[in-house]
Structure formats: structure tokens, C-alpha cells
Amino acid sequence: MKKYILLFSLLSFALTAQVPKSIPFEENNRQRIDEITSYLDDEPAGFGYSYKNRTEWEKVRNKIDYKAVMERAEEVLNTEMPPWDDDLYLEFSRNGVRPPGEKMLNARKSRLAPLVWAECMENKGRFVPKIESTLRELISHRSWILPAHDTYLNVFYGKKHEVDLVAAAFVHELVETLYFLDDKISEPVRQEVIDSMYVRAFDPVKDALKTGKGYTFGWFNNTNNWNAVCLAGVTSAAVGIIKDKRERAFFVAAAEYYSQNSVLGYTDDGYCTEGLGYFNYGFQHYIILREQLYQRTKGAIDLFKSEKMKKIAMYGINFEIINGTYPAFADCRIGTTVSPLILWYCNHNLGLGLAAYDRLDDNDLRPSVLTAMLLFPNTAQQTSSHIDGSAKVEGKQPVRMFFDKAGVLICRPEKMSDHSMGVALKGGNNAEHHNHNDVGSYSLIVGNETLAGDPGGPYHYAGAMWTNKRYTFKSISSFGHPVAVVDQTLQGAGKEYEAEIAGTDFTALRDEYVLDLTKVYDCPNLKSYIRKFVYDRTGTGSLLIEDRFELKNAGSFESAIITLADWQENGGKTLKLSGKQHTVNVKIETSSPKGYTLIPEKIQENGPEFSRIGIRLNEKIKTGYIRVFFKVE
């Protein structure tokens, strides 16, 4: 049986300085736990109200897509639970394939929420038997965590229980179910669920906080999305079901302390190195945790007090290139956009002054713990968005946004149109969260189409993507990104493989951004490699990329264009990239009198197929350059 060792310790956990471990947590934080105990109500509580508050549930019925929820609940009511399948769960441990086991788990777990919300809105009792049988089925799973996170199958075989992202979210959903339905759930079923939560979640978390060891403690000491997601789920579950106030306070104190790691995971300019998709996922759960702690402690604990929080909240605004289009850096899909729910919540709680996010659009809300937080009374509903008269008219984005700590530059046209070009230019290092070896990468947008640059992905993970084989995947290594191959050497993986910002020259008409990429390659023959970007916002816009290199001895050099668009050679050292609506002409110049050769290759690895167009110099030389010039047709 293959063993897939998760590289969180290498790829995620140790990337950013964490807060000091406080182990054993209870012994080191007794005074704070006592203080928090005094803040809490005598009884546990979740978001919103139980079904008994008919006034509030009638409001929900009028806000959510009631018809869609009832149709899905009826479907679940009249069908049998898909079976648990050991073989599907074990598919990952055998072959490193994630989808089969995850689909099996999701097919079972997705049945609970529509039943619960339908019963609370309708209040006739007809969904209750199905809810109780569903609860019993779900808590009986041999594992509450994903197969990909059960590395040695200790959870599957009952040797040890651990808590991961999905287990944390699951216990939160279980608690909201018991909280919403209150006495509709029979006492035997309620107790079975609570007992299971202690065994599968609360006790493993307590043990992790006592010893500072093991898989579960990893996400306490982690600075990527795991920290916020797991803390939000487990803490929300604890404050929503545990009777003992001091025991609840223990979980709250741990969340208050270790959630600092979540904030540390963002650069000081608010940039999220994980990519936009994981920002939506991680920061959404940070918001859930913030709201939960604020409500339970009556405002005594507010995770939004950090000065850095506004910068993080504005990431989704500042990271946009043009026309609602974003770079697909790190593990992200092309086409991903910022969650409007995050921006609405932050707009009101942090006074961002974003007129477009003054009102909550609840048309697409579906039964979930996030929906419960948003639709029932919360701090965002009770707080002004601080939009003054002048700000109510939507202003255009500034022509650039420079995340100087992260080394990422967003360049926008002066006059926005459906044919304008905008770009994102990336520095950074190769030890970022959900890292791709992509230092020096870029994303080129025309209108709202990504015509060249970072291809994004993967759309789902292969098991080996989280092992020491991660960078054997072309789409994750620098080979599958629009950066150079220097004397047959790809970029190295690690924090030491970083770009140095060699120069910037920003004006109203053009932005010049120069990166020294010499350290990014572990190439003994390399003396220097400088990549210069020049974005010109005149007309519909253009982008020049110049790679200038110097080797100790004559060697090979190859740059690359990456595109998901159709492309063709036009002759005369030009290419044409054609999207669905827009076209970009590409001119190539080199220092070599012998010219270059295009080396095309199609790449498809757990995502859409894209083309890598290698631009390889036809001779080995010591110094030279390759220039690639993009202009909208």
C-alpha cells in the first residue's frame, strides 16, 4: 500500500512565523479562561434561533430560495442514503486518487442541511424522522476526515481520531442542527450525536492543546486556511453544545490565541499567497469565527481589532485586474472571483466604504452555517458601512495596486473598456502557501479573458501533489508557468528561491517592474537573470517582458508563453493568441543572430488543457535576452 506523506510541515506549516506554542494550553492560560468564562451565557448557543422562534424563521423563509430548499428536502426525504463504501474511502491510500472517496462522503453529508432548514421553515415535523436517521448514519462514519488526510489510516481503523477541515465543519453543522431543532430531536439521538462529537472532535482537540503534538495540533500552529477553517468549526461547535461554561471558555481562549496565526499567514500588505479561491475559503471561516466569538462574549473578544484586518479584507478588491477578473496564482482556478458575502460582512464591520457591497445579496444563499450567520441577526446587520454621499457613486479602480510585501503588482488601464488589457505581475518566493514554482509569473487579461500567463489549477488534487513529488507535476513546477528555463534548470522550491525587486518606475502612462530572478534558480552556471516588465496603458494597453541573462559559460536559455487560448504563428516572429472574444498579437525578439525555435507542448494535469510555447535560443551563449511583446489586436 502506498503511503502519501502530507508535506504540510514543509509546504504550509512552517512558512510564516507562528505565535509561540502555549502548551499545555489550559495550564498556561488559566487566568484568560477564567475571564472568558465570565463573558459567556449560562447556556450554549449557535447562530440564530431554534425553530420555536417563528417570527425569525418566517423572515428566513422570505429571504432564502424557499422553493429550491423544499424541493431538495423532498428529494432527500424520498430517497435512501447513498451507502458508505470502504473501497471508495481507501482509493486514495491505494492509488492517490481523491475524488471517489470525497464524492461518496459529500453525497451522504449533503443531505442533512436541506432537511433541517426545510423542517425549521415548514415546522410540521414530517422531516424529523429522516433527520434523525441521517444523523445516526453520518456519525457512524468510520472516519470524519477526508481520506487524503487519513495518511496512515489510523482514523479509518479506529486507532486514533483526528480533526481536519471537513471534520471541523461537520461538527459545526451537527451543533447547528441540534440548536435549530431543539426538542424536535429525541434525547437518545441528541446524546448519541454529542457523545460522538466528544470522541471525534472535542477530545482530540483537548489532547492536542495539552501535548502540542500530533496531526490535529498542526492546524493550531498553521498560518494558512486550515487554521481559520478548523478553529471556526470546532469552536462554534463547542460554544453551541457544551453545557459547562468553563469548558466552553477553554475552546474560546484557544481560538482567540491561535487565530493570530491565521492573520500572520497574510503578508503585511494584506496579500494572500494561497490564491483567491483559498482566500474565499479561509477568510470566510475566519469571519465565522469572529462573529461567533463576538456574539458569545458580547463583544469582549473581537478578532477584527488587528490593524491588518482592513488590508486583508480589501484583498479581494485590490487583487482584481479588470472587469471582475483575477490572477489564478497558486492553487486557484481561472475565473475565480472574490466572495461578495465576505465583502458585505467586512464592508459593514470594518467600514470599507464599498458602495457595491452595502447590501447583502441573498438570492444565492443555500442552507449552511454561513447562511445561518448571515441571515440571522449579526454584527454586519447592526453596523453602518460608513458610505458617505460621495462614495455612493462607484469609483473606478486606481491604475495600479502594488502589494510590495508580497512582490505582486496589478496594472490597470486608465480608461476601462471591454477591449482593455490589464496585467498582474508576480515576484515572491517558492515557499508560499499552496506554492507553485512561479516566481516571475504573470497574468494577462483582455476584457475579462485570460489570454496569457499563469494557467491556474489544479482543479482537483492528485495524491502525489502533496508529497515530495509535488514539483514533478509540470503545471505546478516552473515548467508550466510563463518563466524561463535557465541552462536546462527549472526554479527551485523553498523560501531561499525568491525574487528581489530590482526596480520600479510607475507613471500615469506606464509601469516598469524589474525583478532579479538570479536566486530563483539553483544553476551553478548562472551569474544573473533579470526579468523586466513594462506595462503601457496607452490605448488598449500592451505588455513587454524582457528576460536578460548572463551565464558563466555558454549555455542554453528558454523563455515561455503559457495560454489556454488558441494560437498560431503569423510569420515574421509574431504569434496570435485568440480567445472567445479577444485577440492578442505577440512579437518576439532575441539577442541571438541565430534566432530561436518555438517548442510547443500541451499540458493537462487535473485541470483544463493549456499550451506551453517554449521560446528556445538556437545557440548556447553567455549573455543575451529574449523579449516578448503583447498588444491587443
Side-chain angles (χ1 to χ4, degrees):
M1 183 180 294
K2 296 180 181 178
K3 296 297 182 185
Y4 290 86
I5 302 174
L6 298 177
L7 293 187
F8 294 122
S9 59
L10 296 178
L11 296 174
S12 298
F13 286 0
L15 299 183
T16 307
Q18 300 96 341
V19 297
K21 295 180 182 179
S22 187
I23 302 300
F25 185 80
E26 184 168 14
E27 292 180 20
N28 290 337
N29 295 275
R30 290 189 187 279
Q31 182 177 348
R32 184 56 177 159
I33 294 171
D34 289 341
E35 291 172 352
I36 293 173
T37 302
S38 70
Y39 304 151
L40 301 178
D41 288 332
D42 290 338
E43 295 297 320
F47 288 133
Y49 305 95
S50 80
Y51 77 94
K52 295 178 181 179
N53 190 326
R54 300 317 304 160
T55 300
E56 289 294 336
W57 276 102
E58 283 298 322
K59 292 178 183 177
V60 169
R61 178 172 174 163
N62 293 328
K63 292 178 180 178
I64 203 168
D65 190 339
Y66 176 74
K67 181 180 178 182
V69 174
M70 297 306 294
E71 287 177 352
R72 172 59 179 154
E74 294 279 0
E75 178 187 351
V76 174
L77 185 64
N78 295 304
T79 56
E80 294 300 315
M81 171 74 80
W84 171 274
D85 191 319
D86 283 354
D87 284 337
L88 292 179
Y89 186 94
L90 294 170
E91 183 66 21
F92 179 83
S93 64
R94 292 167 177 161
N95 301 308
V97 179
R98 293 182 61 147
E102 293 182 11
K103 288 180 179 178
M104 182 266 292
L105 288 168
N106 290 335
R108 290 171 61 84
K109 290 164 65 176
S110 65
R111 295 167 63 89
L112 180 60
L115 290 172
V116 173
W117 285 65
E119 178 59 36
C120 287
M121 288 188 288
E122 185 184 81
N123 194 30
K124 293 181 179 179
R126 66 189 183 105
F127 294 102
V128 172
K130 195 72 167 185
I131 291 170
E132 291 198 335
S133 66
T134 300
L135 284 170
R136 281 185 157 137
E137 281 275 358
L138 296 180
I139 63 174
S140 72
H141 287 181
R142 295 184 66 166
S143 170
W144 285 10
I145 73 174
L146 288 182
H149 301 154
D150 193 5
T151 309
Y152 300 106
L153 298 178
N154 288 331
V155 178
F156 180 79
Y157 287 117
K159 297 177 182 179
K160 185 178 182 180
H161 290 296
E162 302 283 8
V163 178
D164 73 345
L165 302 157
V166 297
F170 180 50
V171 291
H172 189 184
E173 183 178 6
L174 290 176
V175 166
E176 286 292 329
T177 296
L178 299 183
Y179 181 65
F180 281 170
L181 293 173
D182 197 6
D183 56 6
K184 283 180 181 277
I185 301 296
S186 65
E187 192 56 35
V189 173
R190 173 178 292 273
Q191 197 58 50
E192 284 180 45
V193 173
I194 294 173
D195 290 345
S196 294
M197 286 192 287
Y198 267 94
V199 172
R200 305 290 193 106
F202 298 149
D203 289 343
V205 165
K206 288 179 180 178
D207 182 65
L209 288 169
K210 182 177 181 180
T211 64
K213 298 178 181 178
Y215 177 91
T216 297
F217 186 71
W219 47 259
F220 278 98
N221 209 41
N222 181 8
T223 59
N224 73 5
N225 68 85
W226 277 67
N227 181 273
V229 175
C230 293
L231 284 176
V234 170
T235 310
S236 294
V239 299
I241 202 68
I242 294 174
K243 290 288 186 181
D244 185 87
K245 283 176 68 173
R246 197 175 190 285
E247 188 178 2
R248 271 182 275 145
F250 167 82
F251 283 92
V252 171
E256 177 189 39
Y257 181 77
Y258 283 105
S259 64
Q260 295 175 82
N261 283 327
S262 193
V263 180
L264 289 172
Y266 298 87
T267 57
D268 287 343
D269 50 23
Y271 185 81
C272 178
T273 66
E274 296 183 81
L276 184 59
Y278 278 102
F279 169 80
N280 285 339
Y281 179 49
F283 198 58
Q284 171 182 297
H285 283 84
Y286 186 88
I287 286 170
I288 290 173
L289 179 63
R290 185 262 175 179
E291 183 68 25
Q292 193 73 263
L293 297 190
Y294 194 100
Q295 287 192 24
R296 303 289 79 81
T297 66
K298 306 173 189 66
I301 296 177
D302 185 358
L303 300 186
F304 268 11
K305 285 187 175 180
S306 167
E307 291 295 322
K308 189 175 176 180
M309 203 52 59
K310 277 192 177 183
K311 293 180 180 179
I312 297 172
M314 285 295 291
Y315 166 78
I317 296 292
N318 293 331
F319 195 47
E320 179 185 354
I321 303 177
I322 52 172
N323 300 321
T325 307
Y326 294 78
F329 296 152
D331 284 351
C332 187
R333 301 182 181 191
I334 285 180
T336 300
T337 60
V338 68
S339 166
L341 303 178
I342 289 175
L343 289 174
W344 173 79
Y345 183 88
C346 293
N347 194 35
H348 284 261
N349 275 299
L350 292 169
L352 303 181
L354 302 173
Y357 301 98
D358 188 36
R359 297 174 63 87
L360 175 65
D361 184 359
D362 51 27
N363 291 331
D364 295 326
L365 290 179
R366 295 292 181 267
S368 70
V369 294
L370 176 65
T371 297
M373 186 197 86
L374 294 172
L375 290 188
F376 288 110
N378 61 71
T379 55
Q381 293 173 355
Q382 299 160 7
T383 309
S384 168
S385 58
H386 301 287
I387 298 174
D388 59 30
S390 61
K392 288 183 179 179
V393 178
E394 276 295 286
K396 64 180 180 180
Q397 290 273 64
V399 295
R400 80 182 59 80
M401 174 63 198
F402 188 27
F403 295 94
D404 60 321
K405 306 302 182 185
V408 174
L409 176 65
I410 309 295
C411 303
R412 307 181 182 101
E414 173 64 30
K415 296 181 179 180
M416 199 73 67
S417 77
D418 292 339
H419 304 284
S420 299
M421 176 193 292
V423 300
L425 314 173
K426 186 181 183 302
N429 65 74
N430 280 335
E432 296 171 341
H433 292 313
H434 285 269
N435 183 70
H436 290 205
N437 287 346
D438 62 353
V439 178
S441 185
Y442 61 92
S443 184
L444 186 151
I445 310 296
V446 178
N448 61 0
E449 290 188 279
T450 302
L451 291 185
D454 201 296
Y459 281 45
H460 64 273
Y461 292 116
M465 286 179 176
W466 290 109
T467 72
N468 56 8
K469 296 181 180 180
R470 180 173 176 83
Y471 298 108
T472 63
F473 289 88
K474 293 179 178 180
S475 57
I476 296 179
S477 76
S478 63
F479 185 81
H481 291 81
V483 296
V485 179
V486 181
D487 203 20
Q488 302 183 62
T489 303
L490 299 179
Q491 294 186 6
K495 192 170 184 177
E496 67 272 25
Y497 299 99
E498 63 178 343
E500 294 182 0
I501 298 175
T504 60
D505 185 12
F506 302 153
T507 70
L509 295 181
R510 67 196 295 274
D511 294 333
E512 184 174 307
Y513 188 38
V514 184
L515 297 173
D516 185 339
L517 303 181
T518 308
K519 292 182 179 179
V520 184
Y521 295 82
D522 187 12
C523 178
N525 195 33
L526 178 61
K527 287 185 70 175
S528 71
Y529 169 26
I530 305 295
R531 168 163 279 197
K532 179 169 72 174
F533 297 100
V534 181
Y535 170 75
D536 191 323
R537 53 181 57 89
T538 304
T540 53
S542 65
L543 177 66
L544 170 68
I545 303 171
E546 179 186 84
D547 287 330
R548 188 173 290 273
F549 64 92
E550 182 178 359
L551 304 175
K552 298 173 184 176
N553 302 297
S556 62
F557 191 87
E558 174 182 330
S559 192
I561 297 169
I562 303 291
T563 184
L564 280 80
D566 295 329
W567 69 278
Q568 63 184 46
E569 290 187 71
N570 280 348
K573 300 181 180 179
T574 63
L575 306 176
K576 179 180 286 190
L577 310 181
S578 301
K580 295 179 179 179
Q581 298 176 321
H582 305 287
T583 300
V584 167
N585 290 318
V586 186
K587 183 178 180 181
I588 302 170
E589 297 177 352
T590 70
S591 59
S592 172
K594 293 186 178 180
Y596 63 88
T597 299
L598 295 181
I599 313 293
E601 178 177 343
K602 290 190 177 296
I603 298 173
Q604 185 171 28
E605 296 174 335
N606 295 47
E609 182 180 79
F610 62 89
S611 296
R612 179 187 188 274
I613 309 167
I615 307 168
R616 185 179 299 169
L617 296 181
N618 286 333
E619 62 176 334
K620 292 186 176 182
I621 54 177
K622 292 179 67 175
T623 64
Y625 64 79
I626 295 177
R627 296 187 184 120
V628 180
F629 181 74
F630 297 90
K631 188 168 179 59
V632 180
E633 184 176 78

